[in-house]
Amino acid sequence: MNTYMAMWDKVVGAHSGQYGLYFQNYKTKTGLREITMIGRAGEGVWMAGELLGAAASVRGKYTKVIFTMPGERRNTPTRSFVRFSDSPVNFPVSYIHSADDMIILEEELLTLSSPVLDLDVSTMTKRMEPGGFCVVNSQKSPAELERYVSGKPVCVDGSAISNEYLGSPFFVNIPVIGAYLSVSKDLKIEDMESAIKEFINPRGHRVFDQAKSKQSIKALRAGYESVRR
């Protein structure tokens, strides 16, 4: 993986003229898009990615969710890559150089750079599509975060909403997803409500019972309505 990353810019740079146009046309033809989500282990990054994938499926999209966690403990930075398209995508062709939209579950991760974890968040946020949205769990205004992203910063105090509606500041994934849905061009909040009600984890367990479902949807709506653009 490290060797691959070391060669990444060299290879892409050498073939960008050939690859760039091909993949851009391929994305246009299939409607392929990617949402990159970054948080810490314990903040529900995996579940958030799966929920976004489920919401895309509700709209009839073809979806794929890739989750990575470089460490085996809480507080380790983690990522989910949610890809969806209007038609089936050949996996070797689903090259994504930059995310269409990004979701950052913790503001301080915007400046995280770790050679040990092979992760530089600032590179990812500055490489994202300029027309896309970067939703950040933050008390700051979007103008204060503009220098960190190439896209359009969007802010929401997901920790406060999580604490109010879900009884803990650590369930930030739900309100931050709500904030993202308020600016998404592809997914609707009704799709996510359906995904929450029907979500079943890989072990076959329904994660949200009736009470949790109602509270989570309230937190989702609060994030949706509290977004700052």
Side-chain angles (χ1 to χ4, degrees), residues 8 28 34 37 43 57 78 93 98 113-114 130 133 135 143 187 213:
W8 176 268
T28 301
E34 178 175 282
M37 179 177 296
E43 293 177 335
S57 294
T78 61
V93 188
S98 54
S113 178
S114 171
F133 293 96
V135 180
L187 306 177
S213 176

Side-chain angles (χ1 to χ4, degrees), residues 103-209:
I103 298 174
I104 311 294
L105 294 181
E106 190 174 326
E107 181 195 322
E108 70 173 29
L109 291 175
L110 282 170
T111 57
L112 175 71
S113 178
S114 171
V116 175
L117 299 175
D118 196 15
L119 177 61
D120 189 334
V121 177
S122 62
T123 298
M124 300 175 71
T125 56
K126 290 178 181 178
R127 183 184 281 172
M128 69 175 289
E129 291 294 329
F133 293 96
C134 183
V135 180
V136 185
N137 174 24
S138 173
Q139 295 181 345
K140 294 180 180 178
S141 69
E144 293 178 90
L145 303 182
E146 283 182 345
R147 67 184 184 275
Y148 298 115
V149 303
S150 63
K152 304 169 186 176
V154 175
C155 297
V156 64
D157 192 348
S159 299
I161 294 172
S162 172
N163 197 45
E164 178 180 354
Y165 290 90
L166 301 173
S168 168
F170 301 113
F171 301 129
V172 296
N173 55 351
I174 299 297
V176 177
I177 285 176
Y180 172 69
L181 294 173
S182 73
V183 297
S184 173
K185 304 179 182 70
D186 304 285
L187 306 177
K188 304 297 182 184
I189 192 168
E190 293 79 12
D191 304 330
M192 183 57 63
E193 290 178 352
S194 297
I196 288 173
K197 292 174 183 177
E198 303 299 328
F199 187 72
I200 297 176
N201 68 17
R203 296 180 180 178
H205 299 152
R206 190 174 294 278
V207 175
F208 301 94
D209 59 23

Side-chain angles (χ1 to χ4, degrees), residues 78-95:
T78 61
R79 290 166 284 174
S80 275
F81 303 90
V82 184
R83 297 174 178 178
F84 54 85
S85 61
D86 298 322
S87 57
V89 173
N90 296 321
F91 181 73
V93 188
S94 60
Y95 159 98

Side-chain angles (χ1 to χ4, degrees), residues 57-69:
S57 294
V58 171
R59 294 199 69 77
K61 305 281 188 180
Y62 293 84
T63 66
K64 182 177 182 64
V65 181
I66 304 168
F67 174 72
T68 66
M69 188 168 105

